[in-house]
Amino acid sequence: MLRQHEHTQGCSEACQAEINSREESRRILLHAAEVLDTGPEDDFDCLVKSASKASSKPIALVSFVDDERVWFKSVYDPTNGLGGGRQTPRNNFAFCHHAIQQDTPLLVEDATKDDRFSSSPLVTGGTVGFYYGLPISVQIGDRRANVGTLCMIDQKEGTMNECQKAEVNRLAMKVNTLLQQRIDMPRVISTCTGSSMASNPITDSYFFCELTLFLGPSQAQDWLAGNGVRSS
């Protein structure tokens, strides 16, 4: 289903189809990690605390961008500046939604002066004045997608120096590694094709086509050979 935040003004039908395909690929990769709605984990919690310290910003979090929401896996917010919330709607005001659209960090030094966010309730209500978000990605075969962020937030405007950015960039790479380690290939294939690999070995050409589209020809062949599955 096409959502409001996925529309691109002036985009052709072919362009919109590409956007929809890219978003579906991103959704598969995110859900394959099985991280949404999971409980606290020390590894993530330590990283967000370190990110807050390294950036000198009072709030840091790891977020994952789902279909209709931005969900917070780990939050360091000792002053309760976010009000204890664990998710926000995914819409055109969502900072993390914008951050995953690019492969470089999203820096918003003064959200009140940024047309993308100045009307957001989070900005007008004084919750977010500064935002620095680094995209977190998952890669399987030839498919790679940004699925979340490591971000730092302050209620007032601000900036970060190059040393601070370098340190939080290093921490973001650790978050990437944690997420990548959660990927289980049989679960990914099951999500992609709607098939159970444990009880229903697939040998038909439809599965091979789906697998090839997702992994790429070479890695699809390798996966089939490694799992004793014959393509037809």
Side-chain angles (χ1 to χ4, degrees):
M1 182 175 66
L2 189 62
R3 298 169 179 82
Q4 182 179 2
H5 56 69
E6 294 169 359
H7 282 285
T8 302
Q9 189 173 18
C11 189
S12 67
E13 186 174 328
C15 169
Q16 192 62 63
E18 172 63 24
I19 291 172
N20 293 345
S21 175
R22 189 165 60 244
E23 176 63 16
E24 176 63 12
S25 229
R26 197 194 69 79
R27 185 193 67 79
I28 289 172
L29 288 166
L30 171 60
H31 285 263
E34 289 195 343
V35 68
L36 294 172
D37 298 313
T38 55
E41 296 181 45
D42 289 343
D43 287 340
F44 286 99
D45 292 344
C46 287
L47 287 172
V48 295
K49 185 174 182 179
S50 296
S52 173
K53 181 178 180 180
S55 63
S56 299
K57 302 304 175 188
I59 301 169
L61 53 90
V62 170
S63 72
F64 293 105
V65 182
D66 200 4
D67 291 348
E68 299 288 350
R69 61 176 176 153
V70 179
W71 178 75
F72 306 150
K73 167 63 177 173
S74 183
V75 179
Y76 181 75
D77 182 16
T79 63
N80 201 33
L82 296 178
R86 300 295 297 187
Q87 65 183 43
T88 59
R90 181 184 180 186
N91 53 39
N92 287 328
F93 287 142
F95 289 83
C96 295
H97 164 67
H98 284 270
I100 67 168
Q101 308 304 319
Q102 56 191 57
D103 292 326
T104 54
L106 174 63
L107 173 62
V108 181
E109 295 184 335
D110 187 349
T112 66
K113 296 179 180 178
D114 191 309
D115 291 341
R116 294 170 295 179
F117 309 112
S118 58
S119 299
S120 166
L122 292 174
V123 177
T124 59
T127 301
V128 179
F130 169 91
Y131 176 94
Y132 185 75
L134 301 105
I136 302 301
S137 66
V138 170
Q139 181 163 352
I140 301 175
D142 295 334
R143 298 289 181 101
R144 174 187 170 279
N146 295 330
V147 298
T149 72
L150 170 65
C151 59
M152 281 57 65
I153 295 171
D154 200 342
Q155 293 174 312
K156 62 181 185 295
E157 64 183 80
T159 189
M160 286 171 55
N161 62 43
E162 293 306 312
C163 289
Q164 290 173 317
K165 291 177 183 177
E167 179 60 19
V168 296
N169 288 359
R170 184 183 67 82
L171 295 171
M173 293 176 63
K174 291 188 174 184
V175 177
N176 260 319
T177 300
L178 287 176
L179 191 64
Q180 192 71 39
Q181 289 171 346
R182 302 176 79 103
I183 298 297
D184 181 347
M185 272 304 303
R187 184 172 65 238
V188 173
I189 302 306
S190 177
T191 302
C192 184
T193 65
S195 305
S196 172
M197 297 305 298
S199 61
N200 181 30
I202 299 173
T203 60
D204 60 66
S205 58
Y206 173 77
F207 170 74
F208 180 67
C209 289
E210 288 289 308
L211 190 62
T212 300
L213 286 171
F214 196 77
L215 295 180
S218 176
Q219 287 177 295
Q221 291 282 6
D222 290 346
W223 190 92
L224 291 169
N227 286 272
V229 179
R230 176 178 59 83
S231 62
S232 56

